[in-house]
Amino acid sequence: MKLLTYTFENSKPRLGFLHNNQVIDMEDFGEISNFPLPNDMLELIDLGFEIIEEITELIRETPEKDFEEISYELSEIQLVAPIPKPRKNIIGIGLNYTEHVAESARTLDTTGKLPQKPIIFSKPPTTVTGTNTNILLNPKLTQQLDWEVELAVIIGKKGKYVPKADALDYVFGYTVINDISARDCRREGQWIVSKGQDTFAPMGPYLVTKDELPNPHNLNLSLKLNGVEKQNSNTKFLLFNINDLIEDLSTVFTLEPSDIIATGTPSGVGAGRTPQEWMWNGDVVEATVEGIGTIVNTVKEI
């Protein structure tokens, strides 16, 4: 199921899902099905993945004509990030594709050695923005604004010391994140100033539930800047895959429903190019993950 958060005619954000290329309002669907459903993504995730199975069965049982009064064309609504205000920081994973390790060593202050354990950083909730919004460039802070397409994992249930073999049982779904990075804002090896500025985590366009992506370790991901492809790889090249990450992270701290893990970016970032490339005012960046979709954002200088 492709879940989304949207606004309609300046409404507050609402929860919906895609059905026959139309947006169905989740709360309204619950009303016509006599099965109360939330209008907020966080509340839905809190109900556990079982709720997706129940909603899917309700959709099968609902006559198509019943969807007409609670549906919108995609052109009628405005998508916002699937989780507009995460409860906690996004968990970021650094240097998680082998070729990206190599390119970072050439131009950044990294060693070039393959990490023996996942490299973990975080991005505050205020980094989140949706597709078709602006990435804010503050030239007083950075002259090296960079891109990073990533598959993001949404946790579906509480987990501590999760065995690798069981890790995908703790996943609710997946989305796309562009891990925007200000390369000249790292401080003595600390990344949060580089990664944590407002709008530095465009996310979306949808949250795709895990049943639609049974093998998240074979998804193409790519990125274009002003129509020119900069990144193109596949999640099969992850150094630490999703099972590894959930096992490791849940050993460090408890994972909770709606936690977001950005799994890392492949090679092709601006910092790794010769000469280096950066994003500037007016640039348009498109980040795509197979089976989920594309987020499009424009850089705006402030």
Side-chain angles (χ1 to χ4, degrees):
M1 181 178 294
K2 284 188 174 179
L3 301 168
L4 57 103
T5 301
Y6 75 99
T7 59
F8 176 72
E9 294 181 347
N10 298 316
S11 69
K12 291 182 178 180
R14 294 187 61 83
L15 178 62
F17 61 91
L18 285 188
H19 177 69
N20 291 341
N21 295 317
Q22 290 190 309
V23 175
I24 309 299
D25 186 89
M26 185 68 77
E27 188 176 41
D28 290 347
F29 178 66
E31 289 184 7
I32 69 167
S33 302
N34 196 29
F35 187 88
L37 290 168
N39 69 350
D40 176 85
M41 190 74 76
L42 293 174
E43 292 179 19
L44 184 76
I45 295 170
D46 285 344
L47 295 175
F49 190 77
E50 295 75 17
I51 193 64
I52 298 302
E53 298 167 353
E54 294 184 68
I55 293 170
T56 301
E57 184 61 31
L58 286 172
I59 292 171
R60 292 194 194 101
E61 296 172 353
T62 303
E64 284 301 314
K65 62 179 179 63
D66 290 357
F67 286 106
E68 293 177 3
E69 293 187 3
I70 60 169
S71 65
Y72 303 92
E73 299 294 333
L74 275 166
S75 59
E76 293 182 284
I77 60 97
Q78 294 77 46
L79 290 169
V80 297
I83 302 177
K85 294 182 179 180
R87 291 173 174 141
K88 301 189 304 193
N89 282 18
I90 295 168
I91 304 163
I93 306 297
L95 304 176
N96 203 24
Y97 286 78
T98 303
E99 291 182 356
H100 181 53
V101 173
E103 71 175 359
S104 295
R106 290 195 300 269
T107 54
L108 300 172
D109 58 354
T110 56
T111 66
K113 296 179 181 178
L114 292 181
Q116 299 304 299
K117 292 184 178 181
I119 296 173
I120 304 168
F121 62 93
S122 74
K123 298 171 79 80
T126 46
T127 57
V128 172
T129 188
T131 188
N132 299 318
T133 62
N134 293 325
I135 297 166
L136 301 180
L137 166 61
N138 184 342
K140 294 179 181 179
L141 285 176
T142 180
Q143 295 287 309
Q144 297 183 358
L145 192 67
D146 207 345
W147 58 82
E148 295 189 8
V149 61
E150 307 197 8
L151 172 69
V153 178
I154 314 299
I155 295 298
K157 64 179 180 179
K158 187 175 181 178
K160 182 67 175 174
Y161 304 117
V162 177
K164 186 185 303 185
D166 300 336
L168 295 185
D169 294 341
Y170 290 77
V171 173
F172 188 86
Y174 306 93
T175 191
V176 183
I177 279 183
N178 191 348
D179 176 17
I180 302 300
S181 306
R183 302 297 185 189
D184 48 358
C185 288
R186 288 168 295 137
R187 297 181 180 177
E188 298 297 327
Q190 296 296 314
W191 294 2
I192 195 164
V193 179
S194 169
K195 303 280 195 176
Q197 297 176 37
D198 291 356
T199 73
F200 274 25
M203 181 193 301
Y206 309 112
L207 191 166
V208 178
T209 54
K210 64 180 179 182
D211 54 308
E212 286 207 12
L213 297 173
N215 183 9
H217 298 124
N218 188 19
L219 300 175
N220 293 324
L221 66 168
S222 60
L223 182 140
K224 294 180 180 179
L225 181 66
N226 298 325
V228 178
E229 187 173 87
K230 300 296 182 181
Q231 293 182 281
N232 192 325
S233 189
N234 189 287
T235 55
K236 66 185 177 183
F237 298 117
L238 283 164
L239 182 59
F240 301 102
N241 68 22
I242 295 164
N243 299 67
D244 298 325
L245 295 175
I246 289 176
E247 181 183 60
D248 183 72
L249 291 168
S250 69
T251 301
V252 179
F253 46 75
T254 301
L255 292 173
E256 296 181 308
S258 78
D259 280 355
I260 303 167
I261 306 169
T263 58
T265 199
S267 62
V269 300
R273 295 179 170 270
T274 305
Q276 291 180 324
E277 298 180 25
W278 311 115
M279 296 190 293
W280 301 102
N281 188 51
D283 283 349
V284 177
V285 59
E286 304 170 61
T288 302
V289 176
E290 179 184 358
I292 302 174
T294 301
I295 51 175
V296 182
N297 298 91
T298 302
V299 176
K300 183 178 180 181
E301 185 174 312
I302 56 173

